[in-house]
Amino acid sequence: MSPDLLQVLLSPWFLGVVGLCIGSFLNVVAHRLPLIMERQWWAEVAHQLGDRDSWQRTFGAPRDPAEPARAAALGESLQGQLESLPALGIARPRSRCPSCGTPIAAWHNVPVLGYLVLRGRCAACGVSIGWRYPAVEAFVGLLFVAVAWRFGAQPVTILWCAFAAVLVAASLVDWDTTLLPDGLTLPLLWGGLLAALAGWTLPLSEAVLGAVAGYLSLWAVYWFFKLATGKEGMGAGDFKLLAALGAWLGWTMVLPIVLMASVLGAVVGLGMKAAGALREGRFVPFGPFLAGAGLVVMLAGPVRVMSWLGWA
């Protein structure tokens, strides 16, 4: 590839357009990935109900000999219902209106512009389209522009764009469901370690230490809180996400990320509490704030972050 073409493809304006399209795709990921996961969980339940050996190991000899048979019948029923559902994947079927089910025309799917042309309403049924869809598209577009400015026209910029996109997807899913899927956090973790191994980001030793420090720090907080209160303060997905951030940004950035995420999370949580917007259980997911802090560190750079904290 010629240097001139590389300059164009990795320029802020071109990556900004790519970011708009990626943002549209991330909206789909955030909506469909939890549904796909739920189907997988129900499939596991159906399989488990039909496993008579597992029943025997878990419950021992049943008081009613018909219980394992009833469980197996329920498992078969669930499996049949799952198989009768329409196919669902990240890329298929085509995007459609969640209200009337009408497939969305390609020209209405153009990021941001499609929303403006439709004036925020479905072309078929007129139901309002959530503002979050164009907001995510615009945010990812601007994020890719910022990454291009930060790293310049070099191939590693593509890696950092991918890093940012996965963080946005994980944040959306966690905010909606309080789940951080392994399908996002683990590839991000391994991608950070492989990028370091290839010499594209950090020295490998710093990436490995970052992953270990990220995971163990929140793991230790989790167990301290659980032993002290008997409650679970966060999920294992947060450990994995911070481990991934450590693999990309290094072990020295783990503490600044946690501090920034904690402050931002506290501010947002207090604001939601004052507005009566806290969900059941009176908590907000921590993943979006970890991801946001990771993006700040990526764009600002470790040296500047250290100077902000007075640690330089």
Side-chain angles (χ1 to χ4, degrees), residues 256-270 286 289-290 293 309:
I257 287 171
V258 172
L259 290 175
M260 283 191 281
S262 299
V263 171
L264 184 57
V267 171
V268 172
L270 290 172
F286 195 40
F289 304 109
L290 287 173
L309 297 173

Side-chain angles (χ1 to χ4, degrees), residues 19-110:
L20 290 172
C21 300
I22 295 295
S24 180
F25 174 69
L26 296 184
N27 277 321
V28 176
V29 172
H31 174 68
R32 295 189 182 184
L33 184 56
L35 298 177
I36 293 170
M37 292 168 60
E38 287 182 341
R39 287 195 185 188
Q40 292 172 343
W41 295 337
W42 278 112
E44 292 170 2
V45 169
H47 173 77
Q48 194 68 17
L49 286 169
D51 189 339
R52 298 189 182 221
D53 291 337
S54 177
W55 176 283
Q56 184 74 26
R57 289 191 299 270
T58 303
F59 300 106
R63 295 180 182 179
D64 181 355
E67 284 183 358
R70 286 198 294 267
L74 177 58
E76 290 179 4
S77 175
L78 284 174
Q79 187 62 41
Q81 293 181 62
L82 287 169
E83 292 174 355
S84 68
L85 292 173
L88 179 65
I90 296 297
R92 291 285 186 273
R94 283 174 51 193
S95 297
R96 58 193 63 233
C97 172
S99 179
C100 66
T102 302
I104 299 174
W107 54 91
H108 290 158
N109 246 341
V110 176

Side-chain angles (χ1 to χ4, degrees), residues 48-196:
Q48 194 68 17
L49 286 169
D51 189 339
R52 298 189 182 221
D53 291 337
S54 177
W55 176 283
Q56 184 74 26
R57 289 191 299 270
T58 303
F59 300 106
R63 295 180 182 179
D64 181 355
E67 284 183 358
R70 286 198 294 267
L74 177 58
E76 290 179 4
S77 175
L78 284 174
Q79 187 62 41
Q81 293 181 62
L82 287 169
E83 292 174 355
S84 68
L85 292 173
L88 179 65
I90 296 297
R92 291 285 186 273
R94 283 174 51 193
S95 297
R96 58 193 63 233
C97 172
S99 179
C100 66
T102 302
I104 299 174
W107 54 91
H108 290 158
N109 246 341
V110 176
V112 180
L113 289 178
Y115 182 87
L116 295 176
V117 168
L118 293 171
R119 297 183 179 180
R121 295 190 175 276
C122 172
C125 66
V127 169
S128 178
I129 302 170
W131 61 267
R132 195 175 88 170
Y133 294 105
V136 169
E137 293 165 354
F139 175 75
V140 178
L142 292 173
L143 187 56
F144 277 30
V145 169
V147 172
W149 279 111
R150 167 73 172 83
F151 294 100
Q154 52 181 331
V156 74
T157 300
I158 299 174
L159 284 181
W160 288 111
C161 285
F163 168 81
V166 175
L167 288 182
V168 171
S171 299
L172 293 173
V173 173
D174 196 25
W175 187 263
D176 291 341
T177 67
T178 68
L179 297 170
L180 279 169
D182 285 350
L184 294 175
T185 57
L186 294 184
L188 188 64
L189 169 60
W190 289 112
L193 294 175
L194 288 174

